[in-house]
Amino acid sequence: MTANLAETLTLLLIEDDDGDAFLVEELLKQAVAPPKIFRARSLEEARAKLTPQIQCVLVDLSLPDASRLEALEAVLAVAPHTAVLVLTGLNDVQTALSAVQSGAQDYLVKGDVDARLLARSITYAMERKRADVAQIKLMQAELTAKENARLESALLPGPLLRGAPIEHMTRYLPGSGGTLAGDFFDTVQTPDGSVHLVIGDVCGHGPDEAALGVALRIAWRTLVLAGQTEATLLRTLDTLLRAERKAPEIFTTLCTVTITPDLRHAKMRVVGHPPPVLVRDGVVEVVAGTPSGPPLGIFHDVEWPVIEVPLGAEWSMMLYTDGLIEAVVSEPGRLLGVDGLLDLVREHGVIDLDRLITHVGTLSDDLAVIMVQKGRA
């Protein structure tokens, strides 16, 4: 009777007995589409032949250099995404159960196998392996999504404002690559009524960079709540960055702002970061004198001078990461840039985050934005 392998497969038969190997090959020749069979007589020889083109492995449990489950475990270690079917003379129920529990898709005893059973077992083994791999990938994706959500929540917390008469809005959009970045922001009002803001960006993408961003954001909030809002704060963040980063080339840009309790003046330090946008008395501009120094983690013994910014009675301020100005806009390959950002704000007349983001095209990097504004009393 014709076996039911309907497509030409590439198999690896790991069998040291020539007679048994010949019988397996003869059984598989009866398939509708006989497979291409490579043979290995030992585990050592099999390792060299376990290439990506192998779709299924038939392995004996009695090899000259491996016995029982040792051979199976070695094959699974070398080819974890390939279907493995045990074909052996050991008619042992416990061994069969252990083989399947260890990762084999099926267990066949040589003396009980005919062409149809062997072909069907190979087909089913491959389907089960595909299902197992798909399930593993789904679980990994779900775990990654949960971890990303947890990190994003820690990177982008809610503001600690105690009734300050200002409007506060934030936005965050992930980059098109789908990999978590280290953009972070925070807002804290201290007991004296001052409002403190930070926005930062750890260079690179991935969970390590995101975790570093979380550490810097929490450290910033802790230092502000402890009353450290001047140059000591940046020096401490720089020390923390150097201690926690995975590689010496990793740096962080950020912008810190302290708004006075009367909400009419601000002190800024722009640490290698894109300049904030201000709207005062209908005039849209970036903060003059930025940046006030290089990013964190580049040079030792750096001082970041304070930039004094008069705000007046009515104003809006936007802090953002470079994902915004590096976004591709309507023309192919044209980046928004700082000038393009200013033009959009001028076009709207105010800093409208939702309208602004609708004009942003493809994001090559994550985008984080804080907007605070004070209207006339």
Side-chain angles (χ1 to χ4, degrees), residues 59-62 68-69 72 84-101 103-110 112-113 117-118 121 125 128:
V59 58
D60 185 18
L61 295 186
S62 298
R68 295 279 175 170
L69 295 181
L72 171 62
V84 179
L85 191 153
V86 172
L87 183 60
T88 182
L90 298 172
N91 191 356
D92 184 337
V93 173
Q94 187 56 50
T95 301
L97 289 173
S98 298
V100 173
Q101 290 170 352
Q105 274 64 60
D106 207 344
Y107 183 100
L108 299 178
V109 178
K110 294 174 183 177
D112 297 337
V113 175
L117 174 60
L118 181 57
S121 295
R128 281 193 290 271

Side-chain angles (χ1 to χ4, degrees), residues 277-290:
V277 173
L278 284 175
V279 179
R280 295 174 294 187
D281 299 322
V283 177
V284 180
E285 59 188 340
V286 295
V287 174
T290 56

Side-chain angles (χ1 to χ4, degrees), residues 45 216 371:
E45 187 179 344
L216 291 170
M371 191 275 289

